[in-house]
Amino acid sequence: MTIGLTHFLVLGAALFCLGLFCALSKRNLIAILMGIELMLNAVNVNLIAFNKFVAPGSFEGQVFSIFIIAVAAAEVAVGLALVISIYRDRTTSSAEELNWLKL
Amino acid sequence: MAFAQFSLENAWLIPLLPFIAFLLIVSFFRNMEKTASTTAIVFSAISFALALGVVTSVLQRPELIEEPLVYSMRWFSMPGLEISMGVLIDSVTAMMLFVVTLVATMVMIYSTGYMQGDPGYSRFFAYLCLFAASMLGLVISTNLLQMFVFWELVGLCSYLLIGFYYFKDSAKEAAKKAFITTRIGDFGLLIGILLIQVNFGTLEFVELAEMMPAFALAHPFLVTLMGILVFIGPIGKSGQFPLHVWLPDAMEGPSPVSALIHAATMVVAGVYLVARAFTLFQFSPEAMMVIAYIGGFTAFFAASIAITQREMKRILAYSTVSQLGYMMLALGVGSLSASMFHLMTHAFFKALMFLAAGSALHAIHGRTDIFQMGGLRKKMPWTAAFMVIGLLAIAGIPPFAGFWSKDEIVLAAQLGGYTGLYYLAKITAFMTAFYMSRMVFVAFFGKENPENHPHESPPSMLFPMGVLAILSIFGGLVGAPWLEKGFSYWIRYGEYVPHHADLMTMASSVLVAAAGIGLAWVIYGAKLIDANKLAEKASFLHKLSYNKFYIDEIYQWMNKTIVATTSRALYWVDLRVVDGAVDGSAKLTGWLGDKLRLSQTGQLQHYAMIFFAAVVLLVAIMGMMGAETAMALIGGGK
């Protein structure tokens, strides 16, 4: 059995669903950020798989995934900084308690 | 002569002076009673002097009869509509200015005595001034719109004065009744004015008179329609059937007001409007006929009510309605002269009678039923004499004023070929003589009522009555048929047709009047016939007349059933349909907001969930329809 495009797509879909579930269900902000990272990685897997199997010889998919990794790193840096700052202010990092935008 | 010329050129001062007096009184002399009344009298006396000047200069310039003098300036204009405001003077105007300023001044002098000690003394004089000013403004109007403005002002003043004793319910009701009833008429008039404006593009009397003949040839129906619509205004203001109901109630105001309303302002405004717009009516035989018959019927109808009334001022009020009917009748049969002549003489003797009635009522402190008065003659000889002069004048005994003017109307009806109206006018004349003598015999002669302690009125009240009495005696002579240039030479419409004294008509008029007075003497003076038995024999007719033919009740009934039902239905529609739509949309918005608010939880993960759900939905739609149609559906571009 050779490993083909379908396997990668299934893996990407599974990863995306796990990440989504994590982002929607976890209470801790840091866990939510981790879920988002997971979803981004699922997209990276798809991009690279498409690059390899649909248009071998070109680099677009790989370039894109590198961009995504870079942006995700920057985002996490900002996100973590926010989370820490919120924690300092409110002594909590639970997403459920952070609903003061509504008030 | 310089003064006559001056007043002719400055006739605008005539209405302005009483208006200034009004302003002065309300702004400065509210608590200075003597100053207030003096201001009112002095200003209106100057107006009267100016009016006299206008009359003299008109008498020197006969060309004014057919070519009115117009001074006007532009008031406002817009495309298709140019309205000016100004002064129009011809012989009719001059006569009206004279009558109005004279009666107003007399009434004001009288009021200084009559209103002595009344808490609303200054307010009363202020209103009188405004009333006179409005009426004078109406008289000199150059166009229908300016006239309409003053027409409404006159209505307002009558409202204020009828409701002068606003703390009395009956006065309040009467004021409202007068205002609303005349407003119904004004509505017709306003539509008529609009119709004229649309068709002619002008409201100026002079221009209308020029355009009328050609227009009437082309559109006879439109002219009739305009005529009848415009005539609805005078029906209301001049108390013609069926809008006469407010006038008898209008006596709720102080007696001098009744004298002013019934003689020189308000009610004659209607007659004057018809006379002013005579060109309009002249070209529509149908409209003229309507005016003639409404006038004739009103004259008879009101007289038949007056016969059985018991309150002095109410009798006088119905007599006014009846006499106004005469004036309308005269206009309807085409005689402007006869109508204006009767308007003038009527102003003299009706003002006199109202002032005399006021004097009598003043003396016995408001006992209004004539059968409770009795024998006032001995204690109040002057008042009684004045009342008798008024009676002789209105009944048409020569040489008193009413004789000449009423005869001209009867003659005009006869010459116009209206035989039915001619006899109706004769019968009405008989009834007039009868009910007026009945009032005088019962109230001033006969047995004294021991509960009354009347005393003669002060000179301030007797003097104006004296002046009016002299005019009531001799005022009619200006229209005596043997005069070469009498009243009908000066005040007329169209060519002057000299008419000769018709001795037959004159004799029969005198006979009719004498018969009326005689019959009243037999029943109420000598008591040869018992009035009560007579009333019982004709109890149906008596009741009908005493209850004013139940016109008020019919209005009440109509109001209760038709108006109330319609308004209830409309109220329901307003409440449920109109308000329902408005409230409903507000409620819907509120409900939607309430529900949508739940989506705003402030929970980050809920938002993410909705975001995700929307993506799933979009993908599903795209999967089912294909990307192209889905994008078009969502509204995105290619």
Side-chain angles (χ1 to χ4, degrees):
Chain A
M1 185 185 96
T2 49
I3 295 176
L5 179 60
T6 321
H7 298 96
F8 286 104
L9 291 185
V10 169
L11 172 68
L15 268 180
F16 186 86
C17 288
L18 283 171
L20 186 68
F21 179 71
C22 174
L24 290 180
S25 61
K26 288 291 176 189
R27 299 220 173 125
N28 197 311
L29 279 174
I30 301 205
I32 293 171
L33 281 177
M34 286 163 68
I36 292 170
E37 291 300 314
L38 218 50
M39 282 163 25
L40 289 170
N41 278 330
V43 173
N44 282 344
V45 168
N46 278 12
L47 281 170
I48 289 170
F50 280 127
N51 194 186
K52 171 138 171 49
F53 290 101
V54 178
S58 71
F59 300 100
E60 280 103 334
Q62 292 167 32
V63 170
F64 261 114
S65 60
I66 284 169
F67 266 116
I68 288 173
I69 290 167
V71 171
E75 183 205 298
V76 165
V78 174
L80 273 176
L82 281 172
V83 170
I84 290 164
S85 150
I86 287 170
Y87 184 79
R88 277 195 193 139
D89 193 34
R90 305 266 148 169
T91 61
T92 178
S93 60
S94 164
E96 282 191 342
E97 286 169 45
L98 299 177
N99 59 354
W100 8 281
L101 256 182
K102 187 192 172 189
L103 300 174
Chain B
M1 283 315 97
F3 177 71
Q5 190 60 30
F6 171 83
S7 34
L8 189 65
E9 279 162 14
N10 295 286
W12 51 276
L13 280 171
I14 297 174
L16 193 66
L17 285 168
F19 187 68
I20 292 173
F22 162 74
L23 289 182
L24 283 177
I25 295 171
V26 292
S27 23
F28 303 117
F29 305 145
R30 285 255 283 280
N31 301 317
M32 296 185 251
E33 301 198 334
K34 267 273 152 300
T35 326
S37 57
T38 313
T39 313
I41 292 169
V42 167
F43 276 73
S44 38
I46 300 173
S47 272
F48 175 59
L50 286 169
L52 273 184
V54 172
V55 171
T56 15
S57 51
V58 167
L59 286 179
Q60 286 160 357
R61 296 168 64 171
E63 73 271 14
L64 282 184
I65 299 167
E66 275 157 53
E67 293 283 324
L69 197 63
V70 179
Y71 301 104
S72 66
M73 56 182 202
R74 199 163 73 191
W75 180 13
F76 64 83
S77 71
M78 56 179 94
L81 178 65
E82 183 123 343
I83 297 295
S84 58
M85 209 170 194
V87 181
L88 179 149
I89 302 228
D90 62 2
S91 48
V92 182
T93 317
M95 183 214 83
M96 284 298 286
L97 288 177
F98 169 72
V99 170
V100 176
T101 50
L102 172 77
V103 173
T105 313
M106 289 305 135
V107 165
M108 283 176 194
I109 295 173
Y110 177 91
S111 303
T112 54
Y114 186 88
M115 298 301 284
Q116 194 81 53
D118 194 287
Y121 192 84
S122 306
R123 182 164 60 98
F124 184 74
F125 278 93
Y127 288 167
L128 280 188
C129 286
L130 186 62
F131 207 170
S134 317
M135 187 63 195
L136 292 166
L138 188 150
V139 168
I140 61 166
S141 293
T142 58
N143 59 53
L144 275 166
L145 192 73
Q146 185 187 350
M147 201 166 190
F148 190 73
V149 171
F150 287 106
W151 177 272
E152 292 299 333
L153 263 176
V154 171
L156 168 75
C157 293
S158 75
Y159 170 78
L160 291 174
L161 281 167
I162 293 168
F164 184 73
Y165 297 124
Y166 54 83
F167 38 82
K168 262 170 51 188
D169 269 339
S170 55
K172 259 190 301 196
E173 290 303 318
K176 276 190 275 183
K177 192 172 177 182
F179 196 71
I180 293 168
T181 314
T182 54
R183 291 289 319 165
I184 295 170
D186 297 351
F187 186 64
L189 172 60
L190 189 58
I191 295 176
I193 291 178
L194 290 177
L195 200 62
I196 290 172
Q197 164 65 32
V198 168
N199 278 294
F200 289 95
T202 179
L203 293 173
E204 302 292 321
F205 290 120
V206 179
E207 287 171 34
L208 280 177
E210 280 165 12
M211 292 158 84
M212 211 59 212
F215 185 83
L217 267 182
H219 310 279
F221 173 72
L222 260 180
V223 175
T224 305
L225 186 66
M226 286 173 195
I228 289 173
L229 281 172
V230 168
F231 182 57
I232 293 175
I235 289 181
K237 272 272 188 301
S238 287
Q240 299 293 292
F241 181 83
L243 293 180
H244 63 279
V245 288
W246 66 271
L247 194 48
D249 286 12
M251 56 167 196
E252 283 294 339
S255 294
V257 173
S258 310
L260 198 56
I261 289 184
H262 288 248
T265 58
M266 191 71 183
V267 295
V268 294
V271 179
Y272 181 70
L273 172 62
V274 177
R276 215 0 114 228
F278 203 59
T279 30
L280 178 64
F281 300 105
Q282 184 67 27
F283 286 101
S284 162
E286 290 85 5
M288 291 289 273
M289 214 169 70
V290 169
I291 296 175
Y293 279 102
I294 285 195
F297 178 71
T298 308
F300 173 76
F301 179 76
S304 70
I305 295 176
I307 281 182
T308 54
Q309 296 304 307
R310 299 172 71 95
E311 285 174 35
M312 187 181 261
K313 279 168 79 182
R314 209 170 260 276
I315 297 172
L316 287 172
Y318 276 108
S319 135
T320 304
V321 174
S322 173
Q323 298 300 310
L324 289 167
Y326 263 116
M327 296 173 208
M328 288 296 182
L329 164 68
L331 286 169
V333 300
S335 178
L336 183 79
S337 327
S339 169
M340 289 294 112
F341 189 25
H342 195 55
L343 190 154
M344 185 178 85
T345 57
H346 176 257
F348 298 150
F349 58 73
K350 188 47 71 63
L352 172 66
M353 291 179 98
F354 261 108
L355 294 185
S359 167
L361 294 174
H362 199 53
I364 56 171
H365 301 291
R367 209 168 262 129
T368 51
D369 191 332
I370 53 170
F371 289 97
Q372 291 183 353
M373 295 180 180
L376 292 181
R377 177 175 55 103
K378 283 177 198 140
K379 298 280 173 57
M380 311 181 75
W382 285 104
T383 304
F386 290 142
M387 197 55 123
V388 169
I389 291 172
L391 158 69
L392 294 175
I394 198 171
I397 298 290
F400 293 87
F403 168 73
W404 309 103
S405 56
K406 214 187 272 189
D407 234 33
E408 269 210 33
I409 292 177
V410 175
L411 208 60
Q414 195 184 20
L415 291 179
Y418 292 82
T419 321
L421 286 175
Y422 168 76
Y423 286 114
L424 201 62
K426 281 279 183 202
I427 296 169
T428 310
F430 170 75
M431 283 156 72
T432 308
F434 175 76
Y435 67 72
M436 274 299 166
S437 346
R438 167 181 177 264
M439 182 191 88
V440 172
F441 289 147
V442 171
F444 287 92
F445 297 81
K447 224 168 63 198
E448 276 181 62
N449 184 345
E451 286 171 40
N452 291 331
H453 307 286
H455 49 85
E456 190 53 279
S457 298
S460 61
M461 287 162 75
L462 290 178
F463 166 73
M465 287 196 268
V467 172
L468 289 167
I470 292 168
L471 285 167
S472 302
I473 298 171
F474 301 111
L477 292 174
V478 297
W482 54 78
L483 280 183
E484 199 169 314
K485 284 186 174 180
F487 191 87
S488 57
Y489 171 79
W490 292 100
I491 291 178
R492 63 186 147 95
Y493 182 80
E495 284 293 303
Y496 175 56
V497 194
H499 53 246
H500 304 290
D502 188 335
L503 284 176
M504 272 302 289
T505 315
M506 280 189 179
S508 70
S509 295
V510 177
L511 222 61
V512 161
I517 298 176
L519 185 64
W521 173 254
V522 168
I523 299 178
Y524 296 99
K527 300 220 163 87
L528 295 176
I529 302 173
D530 190 355
N532 291 330
K533 271 197 191 136
L534 209 62
E536 268 169 38
K537 256 187 200 155
S539 73
F540 174 69
L541 285 175
H542 182 265
K543 259 192 203 145
L544 213 56
S545 161
Y546 184 67
N547 291 306
K548 306 148 215 161
F549 290 86
Y550 297 99
I551 299 281
D552 274 309
E553 282 75 11
I554 292 172
Y555 279 141
Q556 285 290 333
W557 177 82
M558 267 168 53
N559 191 19
K560 233 183 264 163
T561 51
I562 302 172
V563 178
T565 316
T566 327
S567 49
R568 254 201 301 280
L570 288 175
Y571 180 67
W572 186 87
V573 169
D574 183 44
L575 206 65
R576 304 282 149 177
V577 180
V578 178
D579 286 4
V582 175
D583 290 355
S585 60
K587 265 187 198 142
L588 184 71
T589 315
W591 180 83
L592 269 177
D594 201 46
K595 296 297 157 203
L596 282 173
R597 191 173 58 83
L598 295 178
S599 66
Q600 302 280 322
T601 55
Q603 294 286 343
L604 191 63
Q605 285 163 322
H606 291 169
Y607 297 157
M609 182 84 96
I610 290 164
F611 187 68
F612 177 64
V615 171
V616 170
L617 197 69
L618 277 179
V619 170
I621 291 172
M622 282 182 182
M624 277 194 289
M625 308 173 130
E628 289 275 313
T629 26
M631 288 308 270
L633 191 76
I634 298 163
K638 275 191 180 173

